[in-house]
Amino acid sequence: MAIINDAILKYNVTSLIDVPCGDANWIFDSVLTDTIPFYLGSDIAQIPIAQNQHQFAHHTNKKFRVWDARAGSMPKYYPRTTTNRGAAADDGAAAAALQPFDLIHLA
């Protein structure tokens, strides 16, 4: 957890993509990961995603999507900002105004 916290602070990370996210309960191990402005958890398994969507429904900074990493492209979802309420990338003009995720790769 220390390496993730250090990266969040050093690079001013404001969003995190967790693949595969499983039950996502690890995120509560740190205030920095729990309160990150935008967290996207993705997993190939539909049951944990459905459970996470229900369990974390009141967490406005967390979204969960079923996604098979073998498919190649990332889920088309952008973080919520002060100018939008979250939008699918297919939404054309809305998506063009959004900023990309802050991505870090942890080996």
Side-chain angles (χ1 to χ4, degrees):
M1 184 56 73
I3 192 170
I4 295 172
N5 288 334
D6 291 347
I8 289 171
L9 293 172
K10 182 177 180 177
Y11 299 106
N12 195 29
V13 175
T14 59
S15 57
L16 178 69
I17 298 174
D18 182 14
V19 181
C21 66
D23 69 10
N25 282 312
W26 71 270
I27 203 164
F28 297 110
D29 290 347
S30 161
V31 171
L32 288 174
T33 55
D34 184 32
T35 60
I36 198 158
F38 186 81
Y39 166 89
L40 175 63
S42 294
D43 203 299
I44 192 172
Q46 295 180 5
I47 291 173
I49 293 298
Q51 290 170 336
N52 291 341
Q53 288 171 335
H54 176 75
Q55 179 180 350
F56 299 109
H58 61 288
H59 289 236
T60 58
N61 64 325
K62 295 176 183 67
K63 300 292 178 196
F64 296 91
R65 299 290 181 262
V66 173
W67 177 58
D68 183 350
R70 299 171 301 174
S73 62
M74 294 294 294
K76 294 181 178 182
Y77 197 84
Y78 288 81
R80 185 174 303 156
T81 69
T82 56
T83 58
N84 70 68
R85 303 293 291 163
D90 314 307
D91 289 350
L98 301 177
Q99 297 299 312
F101 289 113
D102 301 318
L103 297 177
I104 56 173
H105 176 71
L106 300 174

